[in-house]
Amino acid sequence: MTVPRPRPAQAGSGQLDAAQAGAGQSANGQAGLPSGDATTLRLGYGTNGFANHRLDDALAVIADLGYDGVALTLDHDHLDPFAPGLTRRIAAVARRLDALGLGVVIETGARYLLDPWHKHAPTLLHDDPTRRIEFLRRAVRIGADLGAEAVSFWAGVRPATVSAQCAWDRLVAGCASVLDAADSAGVTLGFEPEPGMLVESITDWRRLHAALGTPARFGITLDIGHCRCLEPWSVPQCVAEVADHLVNVQIDDMRRGVHEHLEFGTGEIDFPPVLAALAEAGYRGLVAVELPRDSHAAPDVAARSIDFLRAAAATSTVGDRRRQEAPADVLCSASTDATKRDTNRRVE
């Protein structure tokens, strides 16, 4: 069953077509939002940072704090796609989102949803990725029913017993299968480069996008913290590099070379230039706070986060793109969000 819910415009900056221009819409398909004004960015919060809350309660807190949307991670207690009564539960969540006025993106990074013993397993890189592919196809269907702006997923860490070429071939094949489902459902995919995973950088995403035939529906999910962690460009430049394909943004603080999602102001990122870059790119999707290890203090962390981002947006200006350079030989460790390996070398 498809729940009637208005579908937001394509989240990425995209290209201005004649029909939109005639209707007075911006290049990203939404009217009335001035391009380049960071205060118009739509802020969201990830439910993986509310893991100790019922989903209904988490959505209420997020809305009450003033967020515009939610990054909904499908998990055991948050719209489990494998539990009974899925159609009924999707309809209830859709009604709740509508009542609260929240936009939504679907996230698929639950740690133990598919395997109670092994984090994130199986991924698209494992010998038998069937359950992962089924999960992602269900996520696409849920995204379609909720009118999600994007469904986000990642590659996974390459198992030690799988060669790099075999892992790559499996990834391309798995993504193609998910793309088929997304095309049928009319859903936009956001693929996230993740430190320590097979696709961990913007360059890796470009290679994957090309291998799939550069499909328009296969966009990028950009985690702002990851840009600081390992990319060779400044964080604002990372935004500019992917602006044409940007469909989903996660935001958090981070330090160079360490993959650890931090509260704002406790890492190394200068946020006003980053928010200015997003506005300058014409991005109108959700900018969702990604703090998955702060559920123990979720309401307080979420409150501090929206205050911080609003203040940063108010002080940003178009063209405020000060560079945050780091030595090219300083690379990102796998830290807490990927399989730990020797951090004296780059995680592959």
Side-chain angles (χ1 to χ4, degrees):
M1 181 187 86
T2 299
V3 179
R5 179 172 171 79
R7 179 174 296 283
Q10 172 79 18
S13 59
Q15 296 184 3
L16 181 64
D17 65 37
Q20 290 176 339
Q25 292 185 320
S26 65
N28 45 68
Q30 292 196 2
L33 295 176
S35 178
D37 182 358
T39 63
T40 66
L41 292 173
R42 300 168 57 237
L43 303 179
Y45 203 93
T47 60
N48 60 357
F50 274 82
N52 300 324
H53 283 67
R54 299 179 185 89
L55 179 57
D56 194 64
D57 292 338
L59 296 178
V61 173
I62 290 167
D64 287 347
L65 288 172
Y67 285 96
D68 300 297
V70 60
L72 172 54
T73 296
L74 304 178
D75 209 341
H76 297 93
D77 292 327
H78 291 173
L79 198 54
D80 184 345
F82 296 102
L86 181 60
T87 298
R88 171 184 53 78
R89 291 183 290 113
I90 292 172
V93 172
R95 289 192 298 270
R96 188 62 165 157
L97 291 170
D98 282 335
L100 295 171
L102 293 174
V104 64
V105 297
I106 300 297
E107 297 283 351
T108 58
R111 294 185 177 96
Y112 293 99
L113 179 64
L114 306 183
D115 184 331
W117 289 95
H118 303 100
K119 178 183 173 182
H120 291 157
T123 71
L124 295 174
L125 315 181
H126 280 80
D127 291 341
D128 184 4
T130 303
R131 190 157 172 80
R132 172 64 57 175
I133 292 173
E134 174 60 23
F135 170 44
L136 293 176
R137 291 174 71 91
R138 290 188 183 208
V140 166
R141 293 197 294 272
I142 291 170
D145 287 349
L146 293 180
E149 300 173 27
V151 172
S152 184
F153 68 115
W154 36 240
V157 177
R158 177 170 65 86
T161 57
V162 178
S163 71
Q165 186 59 55
C166 180
W168 182 259
D169 292 343
R170 289 175 176 179
L171 176 62
V172 173
C175 287
S177 177
V178 179
L179 263 170
D180 286 343
D183 283 336
S184 297
V187 169
T188 296
L189 299 177
F191 192 93
E192 181 188 2
E194 181 84 19
M197 294 191 177
L198 187 66
V199 172
E200 67 174 0
S201 68
I202 291 170
T203 298
D204 294 338
W205 176 87
R206 286 172 172 159
R207 180 188 173 206
L208 178 60
H209 188 233
L212 292 166
T214 63
R217 203 174 291 283
F218 191 84
I220 188 169
T221 290
L222 189 69
D223 187 302
I224 297 301
H226 296 171
C227 296
R228 178 58 183 160
C229 181
L230 56 66
E231 295 290 354
W233 307 288
S234 69
V235 182
Q237 183 60 31
C238 289
V239 173
E241 289 287 331
V242 301
D244 289 342
H245 303 284
L246 191 57
V247 300
N248 185 30
V249 172
Q250 300 169 354
I251 194 164
D252 45 81
D253 213 341
M254 206 166 285
R255 299 187 182 95
R256 185 70 176 174
V258 181
H259 184 201
E260 182 179 2
H261 292 244
L262 302 173
E263 268 200 74
F264 301 113
T266 64
E268 299 173 343
I269 298 175
D270 184 18
F271 282 94
V274 176
L275 299 179
L278 287 168
E280 188 174 357
Y283 177 72
R284 289 293 178 262
L286 289 175
V287 180
V289 178
E290 174 83 352
L291 292 172
R293 297 184 181 273
D294 288 280
S295 290
H296 64 285
D300 291 339
V301 173
R304 289 195 296 268
S305 296
I306 196 168
D307 288 345
F308 181 97
L309 290 173
R310 283 173 169 168
T315 60
S316 68
T317 59
V318 173
D320 183 8
R321 302 259 298 274
R322 296 187 298 276
R323 297 181 63 79
Q324 288 183 304
E325 302 295 356
D329 59 346
V330 179
L331 299 168
C332 189
S333 70
S335 187
T336 57
D337 290 315
T339 299
K340 289 189 176 181
R341 301 188 184 183
D342 179 5
T343 55
N344 292 321
R345 63 177 177 83
R346 184 165 184 164
V347 176
E348 300 295 344

